[in-house]
Amino acid sequence: MKIGFSSNYCVKAILTFIKGGNVMKKRQSFLFLSLLICAAMVFGMTSGVMAGNIRIGVASPFTGNLAAYGDNVKAGVNLKLKEINDAGGINGQKVEIVWGDDLCQPKDAGIVGSKFAANKRIVAVIGHLCSSATLAAMPIYVRAGLPALSPTSTNPTIGDVGKGWFFRNCYTDDFQGRYLASYVVPKLMGKNKVAIFYENNDYAIGLKDSFVAGAKSAGVTVTCAEAYMTGTTDFTPQLTKLLRDKPETIFLCGYHPEGALIAGQGRKLGFNGPFFGADGIDNEDYIKIGGKAADNTYCTVPFLAASAGPAGKEFAKQYKKTYGRDVDWMSANAYDCMGILAQVIAKTGPDRKKIRDGLAAMNWPQFGYKGVTGLTYFNNKGDCSKPAFVKKVENGKFVAAK
């Protein structure tokens, strides 16, 4: 037998108890128990969503070989979280983060996604970071009616999988790949012959396909394309094959741990030209792992402090003061994700469906969010229009490409 207690019932029970004499003895025990429960509900207010903190799930790789990415996301979220809570929270409710370590792997993302979906206190998700992880988790969120806002997942197919519950404040790889092919390689780098070395995952495959399509229309020649598995450490056989066609540049189409090893081994095999990659290469660990071999590497990013507006530059200063390092694009995007959700929840309340509707309503510039990464608003797939910037490794440091 299930017994429910509404606020109206609580009021009636209290009034009945005050009258006292009209209550039959056999009901007094039940009534007294009702009063205790009602008192907990009315005065305690510690267990319900409206009573406690607003919980937001954040999914990223916090351990494993891509933990540096997760650390960036955590840094950006925590910086904005402190600002929100120091100012009193959202409509008087403090915000609490539930961290989910997905290792950037689909299987682990499914586990994290299921936990987030089952926890009714979690009203929205920031994440996931890697496209493969996001693609694995989104069907779970769709079934549960849990909105997800990714700061980093760029695979263009995620919007279709998300079915109206997915949003992102970064560009997609169909834009990034074509931008690399039409501008970065032929104009910025002045090269024409490209060898593609891509990681066998959703992010890199989508990026590679977009680059190839853009290369055809830009007159850039793809000399050869080779795939590698995540976690590979010896790339000599494939690099030897790629270098036979004498490419002028090599596309490091994947994430920074393998990209740095490829750069080092490529230099040892005599390749002296520039490397280039996309946003997956932008991490200080690329330089730490690659050493001198990492010099003369270009990469596209959604945020660059040197090119940011006043809010972005101020954020970069605060970030360095807080963490003692230069800001990266993942931290900036995660910071804005937290800000976007706070703005929406302040209007809609901490309700999953209403938050989704609030995000979907940000569908025009005048309804967008003005953050440190610029203006964010979404189309009907949850995608946004954001510019790309180019960084370059010079003398062991990332700098804005000239």
Side-chain angles (χ1 to χ4, degrees), residues 128-295:
H128 293 227
L129 189 146
C130 295
S131 292
S132 293
T134 304
L135 284 166
M138 277 315 305
I140 299 170
Y141 297 148
V142 171
R143 289 193 297 270
L146 179 60
L149 174 60
S150 175
T152 55
S153 290
T154 52
N155 184 280
T157 67
I158 303 174
D160 294 320
V161 176
K163 296 181 179 180
W165 291 90
F166 171 76
F167 303 86
R168 60 179 137 206
N169 68 336
C170 57
Y171 49 56
T172 60
D173 287 326
D174 50 0
F175 165 75
Q176 184 174 210
R178 290 175 182 272
Y179 179 70
L180 284 163
S182 64
Y183 174 73
V184 176
V185 172
K187 297 180 180 180
L188 188 60
M189 297 167 57
K191 305 299 180 183
N192 180 264
K193 298 173 64 178
V194 180
I196 303 176
F197 209 0
Y198 66 96
E199 194 167 346
N200 191 20
N201 59 40
D202 293 301
Y203 163 67
I205 292 172
L207 184 59
K208 181 260 298 181
D209 291 344
S210 296
F211 180 86
V212 170
K216 290 180 180 179
S217 59
V220 172
T221 301
V222 176
T223 59
C224 186
E226 286 286 317
Y228 62 87
M229 298 301 297
T230 303
T232 301
T233 56
D234 183 8
F235 302 93
T236 302
Q238 292 139 302
L239 278 169
T240 300
K241 182 178 179 181
L242 288 172
L243 293 175
R244 286 174 187 165
D245 295 317
K246 302 187 182 303
E248 295 174 317
T249 181
I250 297 177
F251 184 9
L252 303 176
C253 190
Y255 297 121
H256 76 269
E258 290 80 8
L261 295 177
I262 292 169
Q265 292 170 30
R267 300 297 189 209
K268 289 181 180 178
L269 290 173
F271 180 72
N272 296 316
F275 292 102
F276 72 95
D279 45 36
I281 296 298
D282 181 33
N283 191 278
E284 294 295 334
D285 283 354
Y286 174 75
I287 299 173
K288 293 177 182 177
I289 298 169
K292 187 65 178 175
D295 275 359

Side-chain angles (χ1 to χ4, degrees), residues 12-23:
K12 290 178 181 178
I14 292 171
L15 291 174
T16 303
F17 184 78
I18 292 172
K19 292 180 180 179
N22 296 326
V23 181

